[in-house]
């Protein structure tokens, strides 16, 4: 396992991070098996564990807390996130100071720790000024409840705006960004990754397997529900949907390339993300030890330049295969009143 600098924080994190979204009611409901998977990842050298209050409404954080109880906590760079609704209360969500102060206490309790190494804003909040959010996070940092903080799925211009606001107001800044990135979702190559590199922001990418599209499960000829996510989000994971036809064609071409290179499709996909100079580490999201083992072998993989060139021919740089791959739709696109006089 390699260890890479996390921006300019001085921290070093494993070249693969462990995501925990699939532990609990959203995936593996067996807590003991989920804990075994986390321990297996740590034993393999992974030292970065990422979770969020949203995942199974706090259940994933509770599982992580059980897994890290005792001496294992000190060996892990532990990250969580806030922003999404955690109750029917209209204020139990978003990026306001009020919610940040409450959300962090909930995460700390569920995780069984007195601090988070990294606390991330899960999505932008158009209703909250960035200085409000940065101010609250800076106060948490000074209080010792978090060590660093970052963003997730922020557009490039908002990343830059946050850096300027922090400098202007004498606040701490985002030191990481967690965007979606895979061979099938390359949109961030145009602006987010260059902005992160320019501002020395560590990049911890999510969904390097394209939500499972690059796991080898989604192939032509497959029938029925090929993934547990198909029923939850059929528009994104339905292999028969016309909108996904181009993605399915790309997967077939990538699978052939992987075979020619003597790699599994999973390793090809992870090797691609690891190859980008701005990426610190992709966050993998296995449900069990078997899935984890299928991905661990890519930790030290370096793809040949000709393989990377072939990938560029299949999915051009800067292109998302479908709109949903972006992970976030800014109000300028979803609210028609913002586009018309």
């Amino acid at each position: 396992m390699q260890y890479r600098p996390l921006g300019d924080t001085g921290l070093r994190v494993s070249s693969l991070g462990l995501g925990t979204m699939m532990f609990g009611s959203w995936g593996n409901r067996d807590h003991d098996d989920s804990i075994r998977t986390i321990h297996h990842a740590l034993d393999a050298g992974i030292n970065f564990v990422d979770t969020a209050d949203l995942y199974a409404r706090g259940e994933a954080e509770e599982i992580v807390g059980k897994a890290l109880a005792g001496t294992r906590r000190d060996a892990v760079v532990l990250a969580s996130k806030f922003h999404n609704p955690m109750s029917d209360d209209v204020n139990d969500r978003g990026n306001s100071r009020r919610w940040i102060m409450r959300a962090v206490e909930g995460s700390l309790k569920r995780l069984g720790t007195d601090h988070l190494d990294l606390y991330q804003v899960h999505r932008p909040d158009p209703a909250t000024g960035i200085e409000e959010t940065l101010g609250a996070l800076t106060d948490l940092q000074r209080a010792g409840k978090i060590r660093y903080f970052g963003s997730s799925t922020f557009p490039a211009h908002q990343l830059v705006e946050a850096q300027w606001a922090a400098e202007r107001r004498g606040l701490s800044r985002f030191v990481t960004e967690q965007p979606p990135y895979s061979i099938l979702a390359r949109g961030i190559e145009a602006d987010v990754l260059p902005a992160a590199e320019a501002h020395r922001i560590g990049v911890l990418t999510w969904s390097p397997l394209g939500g499972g599209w690059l796991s080898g499960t989604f192939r032509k000829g497959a029938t029925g529900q090929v993934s547990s996510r198909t029923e939850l989000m059929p528009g994104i994971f339905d292999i028969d949907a016309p909108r996904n036809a181009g993605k399915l064609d790309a997967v077939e071409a990538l699978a052939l390339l992987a075979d020619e290179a003597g790699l599994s499709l999973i390793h090809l996909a992870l090797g691609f993300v690891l190859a980008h100079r701005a990426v610190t580490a992709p966050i993998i999201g296995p449900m069990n030890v078997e899935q984890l083992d299928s991905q661990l072998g890519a930790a030290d993989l370096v793809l040949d330049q000709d393989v990377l060139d072939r990938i560029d021919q299949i999915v051009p740089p800067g292109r998302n295969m479908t709109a949903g791959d972006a992970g976030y739709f800014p109000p300028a696109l979803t609210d028609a009143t913002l586009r018309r006089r």
Side-chain angles (χ1 to χ4, degrees), residues 119-141:
Y119 201 33
Q120 301 156 105
V121 188
H122 214 153
R123 292 291 188 278
D125 179 4
T128 306
I130 190 61
E131 292 175 0
E132 170 86 0
T133 301
L134 292 174
L137 291 168
T138 298
D139 287 346
L140 287 179
Q141 186 182 53

Side-chain angles (χ1 to χ4, degrees), residues 194-206:
E197 194 170 18
H199 289 276
R200 310 179 317 282
I201 297 172
V203 178
L204 303 158
T205 64
W206 57 268

